[in-house]
C-alpha cells in the first residue's frame, strides 16, 4: 500500500517572497519558483544549522524526504544566483504550524509565536507592555498556492 503523502510542516512564511537581480526588468528574467516547504528546509538546515534528522522532525517528514526537499531547494537557489534568475517563493505541499498572534496597541506591530513558548512581556518593536492576542488572519496567508490544500485540512480534522 502506498503511503499517503505527508503534509510538510512549516513554521513561518517568508518575509519577502520575490527576489530579483537589480537593474534587469522582470520581463527579461526567468523566474525560479522555490516552494514554501523548500524555503522552510533552507531556513532550518542552513540558517538554524539543524541536522537533517532534526529538521525533518520539525517538518514532520522522513529524513529521506527532507534530503530531497533541501537538495531541490539548494539547486534552485544556486540556479537563481549563478544564472541571475528571479526567485519567487510560493506554493508547495505544506501546512502552517499553529501560532498565537499578538498585537501591540501602541505601534500596531503584530507577530506570531509558536504554541509552547511563553507569553511575551512586551512588544518586540517599541517595548510597550500594552499588548494583547490578535485574531489569526484565517485564509490570508500569503503565497500559499496549493499549499493549504485539501490534504492538509483533512489531516488536521483527523487529529
Ligand atoms: Zn509596539
Amino acid at each position: 500500500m502506498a503511503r499517503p503523502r505527508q503534509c510538510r510542516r512549516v513554521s513561518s512564511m517568508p518575509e519577502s517572497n520575490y527576489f530579483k537581480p537589480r537593474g534587469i526588468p522582470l520581463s527579461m528574467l526567468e523566474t525560479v519558483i522555490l516552494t514554501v516547504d523548500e524555503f522552510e528546509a533552507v531556513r532550518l538546515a542552513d540558517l538554524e544549522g539543524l541536522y537533517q534528522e532534526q529538521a525533518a522532525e520539525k517538518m514532520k517528514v522522513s529524513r529521506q524526504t527532507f534530503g530531497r526537499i533541501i537538495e531541490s531547494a539548494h539547486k534552485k537557489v544556486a540556479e537563481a544566483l549563478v544564472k541571475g534568475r528571479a526567485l519567487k517563493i510560493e506554493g508547495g505541499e505544506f501546512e502552517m504550524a499553529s501560532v498565537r498572534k499578538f498585537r501591540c496597541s501602541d505601534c500596531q506591530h503584530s507577530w506570531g509565536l509558536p504554541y509552547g513558548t511563553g507569553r511575551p512581556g512586551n512588544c518586540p518593536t517599541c517595548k510597550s507592555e500594552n499588548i494583547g492576542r490578535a485574531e489569526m488572519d484565517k485564509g490570508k496567508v500569503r503565497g500559499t498556492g496549493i499549499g493549504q490544500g485539501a490534504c492538509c485540512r483533512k489531516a488536521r480534522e483527523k487529529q
Side-chain angles (χ1 to χ4, degrees):
M1 195 181 105
R3 228 155 56 102
R5 284 197 80 118
Q6 270 275 352
C7 260
R8 298 154 181 184
R9 181 70 60 92
V10 165
S11 64
S12 64
M13 295 295 287
E15 293 273 330
S16 308
N17 68 347
Y18 213 117
F19 303 87
K20 69 182 273 292
R22 187 175 170 179
I24 304 173
L26 204 54
S27 58
M28 311 264 300
L29 287 169
E30 280 187 56
T31 302
V32 175
I33 307 284
L34 189 72
T35 58
V36 174
D37 45 320
E38 288 168 342
F39 167 86
E40 176 76 351
V42 168
R43 191 180 71 76
L44 292 172
D46 299 330
L47 191 65
E48 293 195 2
L50 297 184
Y51 288 112
Q52 289 205 0
E53 284 79 6
Q54 299 171 296
E57 197 164 299
K58 288 213 173 200
M59 288 183 72
K60 310 258 182 240
V61 297
S62 69
R63 208 203 60 79
Q64 286 80 3
T65 300
F66 185 84
R68 278 198 302 277
I69 299 170
I70 193 82
E71 193 185 324
S72 167
H74 283 161
K75 206 168 171 187
K76 288 177 178 178
V77 171
E79 186 186 345
L81 290 179
V82 173
K83 298 189 175 172
R85 305 250 155 98
L87 184 70
K88 191 175 187 184
I89 305 166
E90 69 173 7
E93 295 170 45
F94 65 92
E95 63 173 348
M96 289 294 293
S98 310
V99 291
R100 299 172 301 167
K101 261 204 144 184
F102 296 92
R103 183 183 293 278
C104 170
S105 306
D106 290 338
C107 72
Q108 305 305 315
H109 176 67
S110 67
W111 67 101
L113 287 175
Y115 282 93
T117 54
R119 186 190 164 85
N122 52 29
C123 168
T125 303
C126 71
K127 306 294 174 214
S128 163
E129 289 177 12
N130 203 2
I131 58 169
R133 284 288 289 273
E135 286 299 310
M136 285 293 290
D137 304 334
K138 284 212 176 78
K140 277 197 198 162
V141 184
R142 289 173 302 153
T144 44
I146 55 167
Q148 311 223 314
C151 79
C152 302
R153 261 196 301 278
K154 248 181 256 155
R156 250 199 306 277
E157 277 162 19
K158 263 185 239 157
Q159 282 168 6

